[in-house]
PDB file of all heavy atoms in Angstrom:
ATOM      1  N   ARG A  44     -31.838  -6.562 -42.118  1.00 97.00           N
ATOM      2  CA  ARG A  44     -32.230  -7.029 -40.762  1.00 97.00           C
ATOM      3  C   ARG A  44     -31.081  -7.839 -40.122  1.00 97.00           C
ATOM      4  O   ARG A  44     -30.684  -7.645 -38.986  1.00 97.00           O
ATOM      5  CB  ARG A  44     -33.467  -7.919 -40.888  1.00 97.00           C
ATOM      6  CG  ARG A  44     -33.783  -8.746 -39.674  1.00 97.00           C
ATOM      7  CD  ARG A  44     -35.021  -9.638 -39.911  1.00 97.00           C
ATOM      8  NE  ARG A  44     -34.942 -10.325 -41.188  1.00 97.00           N
ATOM      9  CZ  ARG A  44     -35.979 -10.581 -41.964  1.00 97.00           C
ATOM     10  NH1 ARG A  44     -37.190 -10.271 -41.600  1.00 97.00           N
ATOM     11  NH2 ARG A  44     -35.819 -11.216 -43.111  1.00 97.00           N
ATOM     12  N   ASP A 247     -43.728   1.764 -40.908  1.00 92.00           N
ATOM     13  CA  ASP A 247     -43.060   1.431 -42.145  1.00 92.00           C
ATOM     14  C   ASP A 247     -43.636   2.328 -43.268  1.00 92.00           C
ATOM     15  O   ASP A 247     -44.786   2.760 -43.185  1.00 92.00           O
ATOM     16  CB  ASP A 247     -43.365  -0.037 -42.452  1.00 92.00           C
ATOM     17  CG  ASP A 247     -42.408  -0.654 -43.461  1.00 92.00           C
ATOM     18  OD1 ASP A 247     -41.481   0.012 -43.873  1.00 92.00           O
ATOM     19  OD2 ASP A 247     -42.665  -1.831 -43.804  1.00 92.00           O
ATOM     20  N   LYS A 249     -44.229   1.811 -47.125  1.00 90.00           N
ATOM     21  CA  LYS A 249     -44.053   0.745 -48.139  1.00 90.00           C
ATOM     22  C   LYS A 249     -44.072   1.251 -49.583  1.00 90.00           C
ATOM     23  O   LYS A 249     -43.570   0.571 -50.463  1.00 90.00           O
ATOM     24  CB  LYS A 249     -45.147  -0.307 -47.981  1.00 90.00           C
ATOM     25  CG  LYS A 249     -45.016  -1.075 -46.647  1.00 90.00           C
ATOM     26  CD  LYS A 249     -45.694  -2.466 -46.750  1.00 90.00           C
ATOM     27  CE  LYS A 249     -45.403  -3.307 -45.541  1.00 90.00           C
ATOM     28  NZ  LYS A 249     -46.236  -3.074 -44.380  1.00 90.00           N
ATOM     29  N   GLY A 261     -40.552  -3.403 -50.774  1.00 86.00           N
ATOM     30  CA  GLY A 261     -40.262  -4.139 -49.541  1.00 86.00           C
ATOM     31  C   GLY A 261     -40.217  -3.192 -48.308  1.00 86.00           C
ATOM     32  O   GLY A 261     -40.050  -3.653 -47.199  1.00 86.00           O
ATOM     33  N   GLY A 262     -40.333  -1.883 -48.545  1.00 90.00           N
ATOM     34  CA  GLY A 262     -40.241  -0.875 -47.454  1.00 90.00           C
ATOM     35  C   GLY A 262     -39.136   0.115 -47.782  1.00 90.00           C
ATOM     36  O   GLY A 262     -38.012  -0.277 -48.104  1.00 90.00           O
ATOM     37  N   VAL A 265     -38.436   3.627 -42.181  1.00 96.00           N
ATOM     38  CA  VAL A 265     -39.242   3.411 -40.955  1.00 96.00           C
ATOM     39  C   VAL A 265     -38.876   4.488 -39.943  1.00 96.00           C
ATOM     40  O   VAL A 265     -37.713   4.918 -39.903  1.00 96.00           O
ATOM     41  CB  VAL A 265     -38.925   1.999 -40.350  1.00 96.00           C
ATOM     42  CG1 VAL A 265     -39.670   1.785 -39.045  1.00 96.00           C
ATOM     43  CG2 VAL A 265     -39.243   0.889 -41.316  1.00 96.00           C
ATOM     44  N   TYR A 304     -44.465 -10.278 -34.776  1.00 97.00           N
ATOM     45  CA  TYR A 304     -44.619  -8.971 -35.402  1.00 97.00           C
ATOM     46  C   TYR A 304     -46.088  -8.832 -35.788  1.00 97.00           C
ATOM     47  O   TYR A 304     -46.600  -9.583 -36.603  1.00 97.00           O
ATOM     48  CB  TYR A 304     -43.701  -8.949 -36.635  1.00 97.00           C
ATOM     49  CG  TYR A 304     -43.806  -7.859 -37.658  1.00 97.00           C
ATOM     50  CD1 TYR A 304     -42.665  -7.298 -38.209  1.00 97.00           C
ATOM     51  CD2 TYR A 304     -45.028  -7.405 -38.149  1.00 97.00           C
ATOM     52  CE1 TYR A 304     -42.729  -6.328 -39.194  1.00 97.00           C
ATOM     53  CE2 TYR A 304     -45.115  -6.419 -39.138  1.00 97.00           C
ATOM     54  CZ  TYR A 304     -43.976  -5.929 -39.653  1.00 97.00           C
ATOM     55  OH  TYR A 304     -44.042  -4.973 -40.606  1.00 97.00           O
ATOM     56  N   GLU A 318     -52.055  -8.783 -40.008  1.00 96.00           N
ATOM     57  CA  GLU A 318     -51.263 -10.007 -40.233  1.00 96.00           C
ATOM     58  C   GLU A 318     -50.373 -10.262 -39.046  1.00 96.00           C
ATOM     59  O   GLU A 318     -50.090  -9.359 -38.248  1.00 96.00           O
ATOM     60  CB  GLU A 318     -50.409  -9.884 -41.465  1.00 96.00           C
ATOM     61  CG  GLU A 318     -49.374  -8.767 -41.360  1.00 96.00           C
ATOM     62  CD  GLU A 318     -48.499  -8.568 -42.599  1.00 96.00           C
ATOM     63  OE1 GLU A 318     -48.687  -9.303 -43.580  1.00 96.00           O
ATOM     64  OE2 GLU A 318     -47.676  -7.656 -42.567  1.00 96.00           O
ATOM     65  N   ASN A 320     -46.482 -11.740 -38.410  1.00 97.00           N
ATOM     66  CA  ASN A 320     -45.218 -12.277 -38.958  1.00 97.00           C
ATOM     67  C   ASN A 320     -44.437 -12.872 -37.785  1.00 97.00           C
ATOM     68  O   ASN A 320     -44.595 -12.430 -36.647  1.00 97.00           O
ATOM     69  CB  ASN A 320     -44.395 -11.152 -39.624  1.00 97.00           C
ATOM     70  CG  ASN A 320     -45.064 -10.620 -40.851  1.00 97.00           C
ATOM     71  OD1 ASN A 320     -45.590 -11.360 -41.680  1.00 97.00           O
ATOM     72  ND2 ASN A 320     -45.149  -9.313 -40.968  1.00 97.00           N
ATOM     73  N   ARG A 322     -41.150 -13.046 -37.347  1.00 98.00           N
ATOM     74  CA  ARG A 322     -39.759 -12.623 -37.370  1.00 98.00           C
ATOM     75  C   ARG A 322     -39.740 -11.097 -37.233  1.00 98.00           C
ATOM     76  O   ARG A 322     -40.776 -10.456 -37.326  1.00 98.00           O
ATOM     77  CB  ARG A 322     -39.079 -13.071 -38.655  1.00 98.00           C
ATOM     78  CG  ARG A 322     -40.002 -13.024 -39.887  1.00 98.00           C
ATOM     79  CD  ARG A 322     -39.914 -11.868 -40.753  1.00 98.00           C
ATOM     80  NE  ARG A 322     -41.016 -11.703 -41.653  1.00 98.00           N
ATOM     81  CZ  ARG A 322     -41.419 -10.521 -42.130  1.00 98.00           C
ATOM     82  NH1 ARG A 322     -40.770  -9.443 -41.779  1.00 98.00           N
ATOM     83  NH2 ARG A 322     -42.436 -10.400 -42.924  1.00 98.00           N
ATOM     84  N   LEU A 323     -38.536 -10.594 -37.073  1.00 97.00           N
ATOM     85  CA  LEU A 323     -38.404  -9.127 -37.011  1.00 97.00           C
ATOM     86  C   LEU A 323     -38.675  -8.527 -38.395  1.00 97.00           C
ATOM     87  O   LEU A 323     -38.351  -9.166 -39.412  1.00 97.00           O
ATOM     88  CB  LEU A 323     -37.000  -8.772 -36.588  1.00 97.00           C
ATOM     89  CG  LEU A 323     -36.646  -8.914 -35.102  1.00 97.00           C
ATOM     90  CD1 LEU A 323     -35.165  -9.125 -34.873  1.00 97.00           C
ATOM     91  CD2 LEU A 323     -37.112  -7.674 -34.348  1.00 97.00           C
ATOM     92  N   GLY A 324     -39.207  -7.332 -38.416  1.00 95.00           N
ATOM     93  CA  GLY A 324     -39.424  -6.643 -39.700  1.00 95.00           C
ATOM     94  C   GLY A 324     -38.093  -6.143 -40.266  1.00 95.00           C
ATOM     95  O   GLY A 324     -37.124  -5.944 -39.556  1.00 95.00           O
ATOM     96  N   ASP A 325     -38.107  -5.966 -41.564  1.00 94.00           N
ATOM     97  CA  ASP A 325     -36.944  -5.394 -42.277  1.00 94.00           C
ATOM     98  C   ASP A 325     -37.487  -4.253 -43.154  1.00 94.00           C
ATOM     99  O   ASP A 325     -38.324  -4.533 -44.014  1.00 94.00           O
ATOM    100  CB  ASP A 325     -36.295  -6.507 -43.129  1.00 94.00           C
ATOM    101  CG  ASP A 325     -34.989  -6.048 -43.740  1.00 94.00           C
ATOM    102  OD1 ASP A 325     -34.681  -4.862 -43.692  1.00 94.00           O
ATOM    103  OD2 ASP A 325     -34.287  -6.901 -44.298  1.00 94.00           O
ATOM    104  N   PRO A 326     -37.172  -3.006 -42.910  1.00 94.00           N
ATOM    105  CA  PRO A 326     -36.038  -2.507 -42.115  1.00 94.00           C
ATOM    106  C   PRO A 326     -36.341  -2.090 -40.663  1.00 94.00           C
ATOM    107  O   PRO A 326     -35.517  -1.400 -40.072  1.00 94.00           O
ATOM    108  CB  PRO A 326     -35.616  -1.254 -42.890  1.00 94.00           C
ATOM    109  CG  PRO A 326     -36.841  -0.767 -43.529  1.00 94.00           C
ATOM    110  CD  PRO A 326     -37.744  -1.949 -43.756  1.00 94.00           C
ATOM    111  N   GLU A 327     -37.430  -2.540 -40.044  1.00 95.00           N
ATOM    112  CA  GLU A 327     -37.725  -2.133 -38.653  1.00 95.00           C
ATOM    113  C   GLU A 327     -36.584  -2.512 -37.678  1.00 95.00           C
ATOM    114  O   GLU A 327     -36.235  -1.752 -36.791  1.00 95.00           O
ATOM    115  CB  GLU A 327     -39.030  -2.753 -38.184  1.00 95.00           C
ATOM    116  CG  GLU A 327     -40.285  -2.201 -38.804  1.00 95.00           C
ATOM    117  CD  GLU A 327     -40.685  -2.908 -40.107  1.00 95.00           C
ATOM    118  OE1 GLU A 327     -39.798  -3.482 -40.773  1.00 95.00           O
ATOM    119  OE2 GLU A 327     -41.867  -2.873 -40.454  1.00 95.00           O
ATOM    120  N   ARG A 414     -33.060  -2.863 -52.873  1.00 95.00           N
ATOM    121  CA  ARG A 414     -32.828  -2.020 -51.669  1.00 95.00           C
ATOM    122  C   ARG A 414     -31.374  -2.282 -51.266  1.00 95.00           C
ATOM    123  O   ARG A 414     -31.007  -3.401 -50.858  1.00 95.00           O
ATOM    124  CB  ARG A 414     -33.795  -2.396 -50.578  1.00 95.00           C
ATOM    125  CG  ARG A 414     -35.231  -2.009 -50.990  1.00 95.00           C
ATOM    126  CD  ARG A 414     -36.214  -2.192 -49.850  1.00 95.00           C
ATOM    127  NE  ARG A 414     -36.281  -3.551 -49.386  1.00 95.00           N
ATOM    128  CZ  ARG A 414     -36.800  -3.903 -48.219  1.00 95.00           C
ATOM    129  NH1 ARG A 414     -37.255  -3.020 -47.378  1.00 95.00           N
ATOM    130  NH2 ARG A 414     -36.864  -5.195 -47.848  1.00 95.00           N
TER     131      ARG A 414
HETATM  132  N1  LIG B  21     -41.141  -4.098 -43.278  1.00 66.75           N
HETATM  133  C1  LIG B  21     -42.158  -5.058 -43.397  1.00 66.75           C
HETATM  134  C2  LIG B  21     -41.783  -6.446 -43.067  1.00 66.75           C
HETATM  135  O1  LIG B  21     -40.713  -6.742 -42.686  1.00 66.75           O
HETATM  136  O2  LIG B  21     -42.651  -7.318 -43.219  1.00 66.75           O
END
Side-chain angles (χ1 to χ4, degrees):
R44 166 183 47 215
D247 198 5
K249 292 204 172 82
V265 176
Y304 166 140
E318 63 182 359
N320 294 314
R322 36 98 196 153
L323 282 155
D325 187 349
E327 288 89 334
R414 293 188 299 162

